[in-house]
Amino acid sequence: MIMVRLFSCLALLSCAAAPREVANDAVRSGGGEAVKLRARLEAAASYAPDEPVKLRFALENAGSSPVSVLVWNTPLEGLAGDAFHVTRDGAVVPYTGRMVKRGDPSAEAYRRIEPGQAATAEVDLATAYDLSSPGAYRVEWNGRIHDVAGPGDRVPRPRDQHRGLDVSGNAVTFRRAGR
């Protein structure tokens, strides 16, 4: 009986430690095709104390049709909200940047991504998170696109008609040196 409980606990723990897999074909375009997006972050291995912490972000369309994505709260619009989960030596680093309140989006708030292509951006993480302390940092994009439109869909759409999508991606790590 003790062995059964032990194996049950171990199985539960291994599931909890598994990497987060996010199904990202939940949004379908007007033509019924599944939308497939992937996110990728890149960073240098280390940064000097007063150096900008530049992250490169790419959002790739892995599907067979073009999509339009609302860039709000993604690195594609810069840092206008808490778009990342940042830790230093395992402790959460809070967001200190600006927070933007919004109404309905305009057409300019969407970025079209062709099949096999990626929309890219570079942001300085140090402008919105306190990265002044030395240590080992880990950064992961929150992974939410608030509205995704396929080829048969019209944009912009009012907020109550948005079709959001959780997008999986990688985490990056880097070291920040002391002064």
Side-chain angles (χ1 to χ4, degrees), residues 37-149:
L37 296 171
R38 285 190 292 250
R40 185 178 66 253
L41 282 177
E42 296 175 2
S46 64
Y47 295 92
D50 293 322
E51 179 182 14
V53 177
K54 296 202 175 176
L55 296 181
R56 288 167 300 287
F57 174 81
L59 184 63
E60 179 188 353
N61 179 357
S64 57
S65 298
V67 295
S68 293
V69 297
L70 182 61
V71 299
W72 289 356
N73 294 325
T74 75
L76 297 174
E77 77 161 343
L79 292 173
D82 191 6
F84 295 99
H85 177 70
V86 181
T87 60
R88 180 185 57 252
D89 299 324
V92 172
V93 176
Y95 177 74
T96 59
R98 65 189 179 117
M99 296 294 281
V100 177
K101 252 187 159 178
R102 306 176 192 268
D104 287 335
S106 66
E108 292 77 33
Y110 287 82
R111 177 89 53 97
R112 183 179 167 97
I113 309 173
E114 296 296 328
Q117 299 297 309
T120 61
E122 186 174 89
V123 295
D124 179 0
L125 202 63
T127 63
Y129 296 85
D130 181 4
L131 307 179
S132 60
S133 297
Y137 287 83
R138 183 178 190 279
V139 180
E140 184 175 13
W141 175 55
N142 289 337
R144 182 76 179 158
I145 304 286
H146 291 288
D147 192 25
V148 179

